[in-house]
Amino acid sequence: MSTHTMERREAVSPERPGVRPGLSGPIRRRLPGTGQLTAWAFLTPVVVYLAVFYVWPLVRNVDLSTHGYTVRSFIEGNAPFIGLENFSAVFASPTFGPALINTLLFTGISIAFQFSIGMALAVFFFQKFPLSSTLRALFLVPWLLPLIVSASTWSWMLNSDSGVVNSVIRTLGGDQVNWLTSPQWALASVIIANIWIGIPFNLVILYSGLQNVSGDIYEAAALDGANSWQVFWRITFPLLRPVSAITILLGLVYTLKVFDIIWIMTRGGPGDASTTFAIWSYQLGFGSTLPSFGPAAAVGNLLIIMALVCGFIYLRVQRKQDQS
């Protein structure tokens, strides 16, 4: 290339800021702080969502539980600060003891049966037999139905006079059971309904966990002569511990705040027989013409504390598993 030609090319394509000679297109210079702006652009929707739907309701609930709100002061916003008096009133209430016991029994029994039955079904459907996919899909129906439909169905089935359950009992020669109106059976009735509704969730999560277990491990166990029970306790269950832990944690958090099932079936009765913290909080806040906003918020905060305790226990167990 001659010197005259090179001079003509430089005259036609003079250098401009941001353009490197010899390249086909411009390369833009990155502005300082662009990476941080991009990161904040992605984080902003999440931060706004958490602030609006989690942080603000939590702050508001704490404010309600530490002030003496009435209907008028709730609207005007001039309630006096009373500290922990609402919590003292909740602890001194005769409903506190039964509500605490019912909450623990409802949560503990529900989680134990939901997880056990869900695990058994997950292992059963993992065997890949004919129609396994169809049957597994049918087990998801209770999870897909609206809770009001499920709870209403169980209310009809457990009705003392016309329920199908009592009809079967009478056909077999047994006595009628007042499932929803007897203090001895009301809590058991809502627990049974909640177990039925929660089994599909455990089935789906645990079955997904089984998909990640290598089939070579089971083949090696079969060659070593391990039976089905040994395979479950020494291979399946240990390998599913991380999945099992998060399944139980989510189940605990969800079951602690179950309201609609109990309210539709028994409304927390008879008396306090099936009243949990979630039902009690609603009754205090909305169950009378003179609502007690402060005590209702205090009971709600107790539920939050119980859920946080479960979360911290999960984190501690998970940390120990990671270290080991």
Side-chain angles (χ1 to χ4, degrees):
M1 185 182 293
S2 64
T3 305
H4 179 69
T5 304
M6 293 179 62
E7 290 176 356
R8 285 189 59 190
R9 179 169 296 182
E10 290 177 358
V12 174
S13 302
E15 284 193 20
R16 292 174 300 178
V19 179
R20 292 184 182 178
L23 295 179
S24 59
I27 298 179
R28 300 182 182 273
R29 296 176 180 174
R30 175 174 291 183
L31 297 176
T34 303
Q36 294 181 354
L37 292 175
T38 304
W40 277 109
F42 281 102
L43 287 176
T44 299
V46 179
V47 173
V48 172
Y49 174 80
L50 293 176
V52 173
F53 294 100
Y54 287 89
V55 177
W56 169 245
L58 181 60
V59 171
R60 182 59 175 162
N61 204 57
V62 173
D63 176 75
L64 284 172
S65 64
T66 55
H67 288 77
Y69 277 97
T70 61
V71 177
R72 181 174 181 178
S73 61
F74 184 82
I75 297 174
E76 296 178 352
N78 56 354
F81 179 78
I82 59 174
L84 299 179
E85 290 185 15
N86 286 323
F87 289 92
S88 300
V90 166
F91 292 141
S93 173
T95 307
F96 176 77
L100 176 61
I101 294 174
N102 291 339
T103 301
L104 295 177
L105 289 175
F106 180 81
T107 304
I109 297 175
S110 296
I111 293 301
F113 279 92
Q114 287 174 357
F115 179 79
S116 301
I117 299 174
M119 175 69 79
L121 290 174
V123 174
F124 174 72
F125 286 118
F126 192 64
Q127 305 303 318
K128 304 294 184 181
F129 57 90
L131 297 179
S132 62
S133 300
T134 304
L135 292 176
R136 191 170 70 252
L138 291 176
F139 269 97
L140 298 180
V141 172
W143 194 27
L144 300 177
L145 289 176
L147 288 177
I148 187 173
V149 175
S150 300
S152 299
T153 302
W154 275 99
S155 296
W156 170 75
M157 292 174 59
L158 297 176
N159 184 273
S160 300
D161 300 322
S162 58
V164 64
V165 176
N166 273 341
S167 298
V168 174
I169 293 176
R170 286 192 293 266
T171 302
L172 297 176
D175 297 330
Q176 174 179 301
V177 179
N178 297 320
W179 296 99
L180 304 178
T181 58
S182 171
Q184 290 77 23
W185 290 103
L187 183 62
S189 300
V190 295
I191 289 176
I192 292 172
N194 190 62
I195 290 173
W196 180 79
I197 293 172
I199 287 175
F201 170 77
N202 288 261
L203 168 61
V204 170
I205 302 299
L206 295 173
Y207 184 84
S208 300
L210 285 173
Q211 303 297 313
N212 297 323
V213 180
S214 175
D216 296 338
I217 302 177
Y218 291 109
E219 293 179 2
L223 293 176
D224 291 338
N227 56 38
S228 300
W229 190 250
Q230 291 173 334
V231 168
F232 174 77
W233 278 111
R234 298 184 180 182
I235 298 177
T236 303
F237 191 72
L239 292 178
L240 282 180
R241 281 179 182 173
V243 179
S244 300
I246 192 63
T247 303
I248 294 175
L249 174 64
L250 294 176
L252 282 170
V253 174
Y254 171 78
T255 309
L256 280 172
K257 60 184 182 63
V258 166
F259 165 80
D260 30 22
I261 299 171
I262 302 175
W263 186 256
I264 293 172
M265 293 182 65
T266 65
R267 294 185 179 272
D272 297 331
S274 59
T275 298
T276 60
F277 277 167
I279 296 294
W280 190 24
S281 179
Y282 179 83
Q283 290 173 340
L284 289 172
F286 305 98
S288 63
T289 56
L290 293 176
S292 302
F293 295 115
V299 176
N301 285 331
L302 293 179
L303 278 175
I304 294 174
I305 292 173
M306 295 173 70
L308 288 176
V309 169
C310 295
F312 286 132
I313 292 175
Y314 166 76
L315 292 176
R316 186 175 182 84
V317 172
Q318 191 69 22
R319 186 178 301 172
K320 287 184 177 181
Q321 290 181 354
D322 294 339
Q323 292 177 351
S324 61

